[in-house]
Amino acid sequence: MAGRVHEGVLLLPQHSPDQLVGPVGELLAKAAPDGIDAVVDNVGGDHLEGTIAAMREFGRIAWVGAIAQYHAAHRPPPAPRDLFDVVGKSLRLEGVLVRNHQDAQGGLEELLVPQLRTGRITPDVTVVDGFERTVDGFLGMLRGENTGKMLIRAAGWTRAVAVHGWG
């Protein structure tokens, strides 16, 4: 997990899968040896545990998902073993649902759409070609085989379609 610290926030640039191999806590400590102030976590499980370990005092974690338990919802992973560090480091760990912040969508679009159109910001996507491979793409997403959003591109279409209902 290659990254750099800018104004106290870890920014993760384009990366290759081989850079993401290893315990998350160790990777974050290496990428930001002075700690992290703010994180958006959508994985949970060992990723949340590693994130808590890497946080600076008074840091903030926006927890927006739990991909780590999607394939095992009937037996979710145990709570992070370092959960009490949230207290010890005076961290703020908050669950965040997009639906509770729809009032901010216009401002977000105003900020991001021009950046996306000019290419200054480029989204990470993995594209699977062929409608017949939709199930492969969906299962690959659940296994973490994608970088960014997993998309399916059907033959003859100029646009790819997201394989899940979140965007």
Side-chain angles (χ1 to χ4, degrees):
M1 180 178 289
R4 60 189 169 89
V5 177
H6 176 71
E7 296 179 13
V9 178
L10 179 65
L11 303 173
L12 296 176
Q14 299 280 351
H15 52 269
S16 63
D18 63 324
Q19 292 174 302
L20 299 175
V21 177
V24 174
E26 291 177 20
L27 296 169
L28 288 172
K30 184 177 178 183
D34 294 330
I36 301 170
D37 290 319
V39 171
V40 176
D41 177 45
N42 68 344
V43 178
D46 63 337
H47 284 229
L48 181 57
E49 184 173 305
T51 297
I52 291 170
M55 296 300 293
R56 290 184 192 169
E57 193 171 11
F58 303 107
R60 299 174 77 175
I61 302 170
W63 193 14
V64 300
I67 293 171
Q69 71 183 54
Y70 286 178
H71 65 285
H74 60 285
R75 52 185 171 86
R81 293 171 291 190
D82 59 355
L83 190 57
F84 191 72
D85 284 351
V86 170
V87 175
K89 293 181 177 184
S90 298
L91 301 178
R92 180 174 176 181
L93 172 62
E94 183 175 359
V96 178
L97 293 173
V98 171
R99 69 175 179 230
N100 295 334
H101 302 279
Q102 290 178 345
D103 59 317
Q105 183 172 347
L108 177 64
E109 290 173 359
E110 213 173 280
L111 174 72
L112 287 180
V113 169
Q115 306 298 323
L116 290 165
R117 286 189 176 141
T118 63
R120 186 164 184 216
I121 295 176
T122 56
D124 288 334
V125 296
T126 299
V127 178
V128 173
D129 283 308
F131 182 77
E132 68 281 359
R133 296 193 54 219
T134 299
V135 172
D136 295 333
F138 182 74
L139 293 175
M141 177 195 65
L142 293 177
R143 288 190 296 263
E145 296 172 357
N146 56 302
T147 299
K149 188 176 291 276
M150 176 70 85
L151 303 174
I152 305 298
R153 182 173 38 223
W157 287 46
T158 57
R159 297 178 59 187
V161 178
V163 296
H164 57 76
W166 299 295

